[in-house]
Amino acid sequence: QVARAAEVRPGVRRFSLPLIRRAARAGARAAAPYLYIMGNQQCCIDLKALPYGCDDLPGYASLPIISPLLYVGNRFAPSFGDFDIVISTVTPVDEDGDRCSELSTHQFLFEDCQGRERADQVARARRRIVQAAAAVAAGIREDKSTLVHCQWGQNRSCSVCCAYAIIYLGWEANAAIAYLRNQSHRERSYLGQSPLCNRTFNKILQELERTRGHLVL
């Protein structure tokens, strides 16, 4: 939430934009707004007004360099965008926040344990990521707008989109991860923003890069 300098209340703290972004990613909720100064322009950024990544709207980002048809988002994204294909790694919700499986065209459910996955969970995640990437490839081949979503649009859904780029387009894993992170920060803003922070999923992507020539799809 941004306000002009005239609307800044007393007690505003002055910080650089990178520091404000780091605070937002860490989930900080400041008692007073942050004042960002750039040249002659001043903006007040109130972190208390930012939602968490599972609740920001419309909740998705485009990925035009990978494909102009591909989008990645959170649980609300299927309800706030016009997509032909909706690939879900969690159950999506409608505009009122109620669970609604009917919004999905494909479901590949798996857990995000923030890098603390057990061996069986890692194997399941890898399998689901590859399956969901195949569904992305099929949708894009058919010229259909395709959304991949999870709870926050950070780890599971981003991993699937990265896997599509790695397996089907020949991207390097690190390049795909960097691009997804950049697009998330470019087109979304929410507390706790830290796309592709699950190191286990990132290792899966790096392994897919090494073995993509031997994958049976």
Side-chain angles (χ1 to χ4, degrees):
Q1 181 172 332
V2 177
R4 293 195 176 278
E7 301 171 309
V8 175
R9 302 191 301 271
V12 168
R13 296 185 289 173
R14 296 169 182 259
F15 289 94
S16 67
L17 186 57
L19 185 57
I20 293 171
R21 285 176 172 164
R22 285 199 297 273
R25 290 172 201 159
R29 288 189 179 275
Y34 290 90
L35 180 63
Y36 166 51
I37 303 174
M38 182 176 64
N40 295 325
Q41 189 172 11
Q42 299 182 20
C43 293
C44 179
I45 302 176
D46 191 349
L47 293 185
K48 292 188 295 182
L50 285 177
Y52 285 105
C54 55
D55 294 325
D56 76 299
L57 302 176
Y60 60 86
S62 62
L63 303 172
I65 295 180
I66 295 176
S67 170
L69 295 170
L70 185 58
Y71 301 82
V72 63
N74 67 9
R75 60 180 185 153
F76 275 103
S79 297
F80 286 87
D82 184 16
F83 307 106
D84 300 316
I85 301 291
V86 174
I87 297 170
S88 301
T89 65
V90 300
T91 303
V93 298
D94 61 22
E95 294 182 5
D96 296 320
D98 297 320
R99 289 160 61 92
C100 184
S101 296
E102 292 77 12
L103 290 168
S104 305
T105 59
H106 304 71
Q107 286 200 350
F108 302 96
L109 308 182
F110 61 101
E111 301 83 3
D112 176 8
C113 299
Q114 301 293 312
R116 297 184 296 273
E117 288 77 11
R118 302 185 310 269
D120 62 309
Q121 292 172 320
V122 174
R124 178 181 175 87
R126 184 190 185 282
R127 186 168 61 252
R128 292 292 188 245
I129 288 169
V130 171
Q131 291 170 339
V136 171
I140 290 176
R141 277 198 304 269
E142 295 173 4
D143 202 33
K144 293 183 176 181
S145 59
T146 300
L147 169 73
V148 185
H149 83 90
C150 57
Q151 190 77 355
W152 281 49
Q154 287 212 133
N155 285 321
R156 285 167 284 194
S157 55
C158 285
S159 295
V160 170
C161 293
C162 284
Y164 167 72
I166 292 164
I167 297 169
Y168 293 90
L169 304 181
W171 282 48
E172 294 181 356
N174 288 341
I177 290 168
Y179 176 63
L180 264 291
R181 285 173 173 166
N182 180 69
Q183 284 301 103
S184 174
H185 288 295
R186 181 187 298 272
E187 298 191 10
R188 298 177 64 196
S189 183
Y190 55 85
L191 282 173
Q193 191 164 7
S194 186
L196 287 159
C197 61
N198 186 317
R199 294 182 180 180
T200 298
F201 293 173
N202 293 351
K203 289 179 181 178
I204 291 173
L205 296 175
Q206 290 159 354
E207 185 261 337
L208 290 176
E209 179 188 348
R210 293 192 301 270
T211 62
R212 59 188 164 199
H214 306 287
L215 288 175
V216 178
L217 303 173

